[in-house]
Amino acid sequence: LNLFENEKQEEKIEALFGSIHPYEGVRPIVEQEEIYPIYIAIQALGEFINQFESELEEEPIPLLQANYEIKIPWLDTPPIPITINSMPEVSAELEEMMDDDELGIFFDDDDDDDDDDVIISDDLIPRGSFVNFAIVSRNFINNLKTKSSIYLDLNVIEDIEDDEIPVMVIQTTRPKAKTIIEQLDEEGGVEYLFFSKGIDSFEGIIYRIAVIQTMEDINYIITEFQESKSSMGKNLQKWIDKVSSLDNFCGILIAMGATGASRGNPSFKDTLGFFGTTLISSEELGLEELIR
């Protein structure tokens, strides 16, 4: 929107721009000249993203640099040279910070039970992962045994006499999927999967939280969602009913491809790990309610 094209337009539109300055604090307006660097920065950033769209999807983001000349359309001035470059070190640091804060941390509400050292962590599943509850065929599981580059802990799954196996799918990038698998393997695999009630004490929002417990009794939050606002919540009960019909046995499938065409529907070649586990009630572990 060109707010400064001519006097006639200025009479029709009165622009009011606000600003939060790191030193000055909140200002109700900014000067017209302050709009120019904002416009130039946004235009240059847009060209940079268009030019390096595929490279910016890589993890980690590589070092990228490009030069542009940006013209301010409402000023009769020469184009302004702009250089934009990525900062892989800063990107990695920010991503690590966002990983830590993505889910927030829920705590066991039973503060009176000091004898139990309950470990609840949200640092297993990286930012940008896709979590879903699905059904895979027995043939799919059997074919995984023929794959060389895969971690398999079929555990209770071998005892299921059914052609359909319910699984919780965790899909992320290849290196991050391998990190998840290594962590679970170090802790002896996945003993239980359960769902707890999560309460956000600040906003008063109630969540349903999917949690896994490893053989070392460490609980990892996998995903959280509001059942009334999530398609996952609407389909989850059917999935749980299927698990119940199989003596509460199910699996956890870990795959790559969260940013590609197979997002939400990982294929055989995307699958990097599989853990058999048992669905139990959160009451059995005393973790039916978690508070943030």
Side-chain angles (χ1 to χ4, degrees), residues 151-169:
Y151 178 92
L152 284 180
D153 178 8
L154 296 179
N155 194 7
V156 296
I157 298 299
E158 295 280 29
D159 299 328
I160 296 180
E161 297 180 359
D162 197 290
D163 291 334
E164 295 182 330
I165 310 297
V167 298
M168 177 172 68
V169 179

Side-chain angles (χ1 to χ4, degrees), residues 10-123:
E10 288 181 0
E11 293 174 358
K12 291 182 178 180
I13 301 175
E14 181 180 353
L16 180 62
F17 298 93
S19 170
I20 300 178
H21 194 279
Y23 299 118
E24 298 175 8
V26 177
R27 289 190 291 146
I29 62 173
V30 295
E31 299 298 330
Q32 176 174 322
E33 290 76 12
E34 294 179 83
I35 303 302
Y36 303 155
I38 296 174
Y39 175 86
I40 293 169
I42 292 175
Q43 289 293 326
L45 182 61
E47 293 195 23
F48 183 80
I49 292 173
N50 287 334
Q51 181 178 348
F52 296 108
E53 183 175 1
S54 59
E55 289 86 348
L56 291 171
E57 292 179 354
E58 297 178 12
E59 295 185 17
I61 296 175
L63 178 61
L64 307 170
Q65 181 171 309
N67 299 312
Y68 306 100
E69 291 191 348
I70 306 299
K71 178 79 168 64
I72 300 178
W74 59 84
L75 293 181
D76 187 18
T77 56
I80 298 174
I82 299 293
T83 299
I84 296 186
N85 64 271
S86 62
M87 302 178 69
E89 298 84 1
V90 176
S91 298
E93 183 178 346
L94 289 173
E95 183 174 353
E96 183 177 350
M97 292 170 60
M98 294 179 73
D99 285 349
D100 292 340
D101 296 336
E102 183 182 11
L103 293 177
I105 299 178
F106 285 87
F107 299 94
D108 180 12
D109 190 33
D110 188 6
D111 294 331
D112 297 329
D113 193 357
D114 295 330
D115 295 332
D116 296 330
D117 295 327
V118 178
I119 301 177
I120 303 174
S121 173
D122 64 351
D123 62 0

Side-chain angles (χ1 to χ4, degrees), residues 102 125-131 170-173 176 180 258 263:
E102 183 182 11
I125 307 303
R127 174 179 173 269
S129 300
F130 184 89
V131 178
I170 302 173
Q171 194 175 11
T172 182
T173 63
K176 292 180 179 180
I180 295 173
R263 177 179 174 85

Side-chain angles (χ1 to χ4, degrees), residues 140 144 147 149 174 255-257 262 266-272:
F140 183 91
L144 290 179
K147 191 173 182 178
S149 58
R174 183 184 185 89
M256 62 181 181
S262 64
S267 64
F268 173 80
K269 67 180 181 62
D270 294 322
T271 305
L272 300 176

